Amino acid sequence: VLEQTMMVLWNLSVNAENKVRMVEKGVLPGLVSILKSPEERIQELVVGTLRNLSIQHDNKARIVQEGALAGLVALLKSPIVNILQHAAATLRNLSVREGNDVKMAVEGALPPLIA
């Protein structure tokens, strides 16, 4: 059920209007929590959804405020290429928001990104 739910959220997060609505409706705490899933398919879906949501400017700050950085940094150690790509792209999107770059450095994002 979780995989199907995550697939729906991923699909919804592609739409520009949905990016705002999803965050306004409170999807971020659940997504941040699911980042810690031990299942690689779930990790891929949740980080892909966060990548899509992180494209929207206001969401960049909200994603960081909800505590997603630690989970995203942890996923940079994944052996699964798709997970690595989504995590790195999400961090790239988040890094352009003022203040997020410093928070990313504090959370330890730099070493795995430059490794």
Side-chain angles (χ1 to χ4, degrees), residues 9 12-15 18-23 27-28 31 46-60 63 93-94:
L9 291 175
L12 290 172
S13 71
V14 172
N15 178 283
N18 287 343
K19 288 175 183 19
V20 174
R21 284 190 191 119
M22 290 172 70
V23 171
V27 74
L28 290 177
L31 293 177
V46 72
V47 76
T49 302
L50 285 169
R51 184 206 63 219
N52 291 341
L53 294 175
S54 70
I55 292 169
Q56 202 279 337
H57 181 73
D58 292 335
N59 289 350
K60 294 175 190 335
I63 291 168
N93 291 343
L94 297 176

Side-chain angles (χ1 to χ4, degrees), residues 24-111:
E24 287 175 349
K25 296 293 183 184
V27 74
L28 290 177
L31 293 177
V32 170
S33 165
I34 296 168
L35 273 175
K36 299 171 187 152
S37 172
E39 297 179 43
E40 292 168 342
R41 178 65 177 146
I42 300 302
Q43 291 173 354
E44 179 181 359
L45 291 168
V46 72
V47 76
T49 302
L50 285 169
R51 184 206 63 219
N52 291 341
L53 294 175
S54 70
I55 292 169
Q56 202 279 337
H57 181 73
D58 292 335
N59 289 350
K60 294 175 190 335
R62 300 271 309 266
I63 291 168
V64 172
Q65 290 167 355
E66 290 293 338
L69 288 179
L72 291 167
V73 170
L75 291 179
L76 291 174
K77 298 173 186 163
S78 173
I80 308 301
V81 173
N82 285 344
I83 294 172
L84 289 170
Q85 289 174 336
H86 293 314
T90 304
L91 289 168
R92 176 199 63 218
N93 291 343
L94 297 176
S95 72
V96 299
R97 178 73 186 236
E98 186 176 339
N100 282 355
D101 52 350
V102 173
K103 292 174 184 172
M104 289 171 58
V106 170
E107 287 287 337
L110 294 177

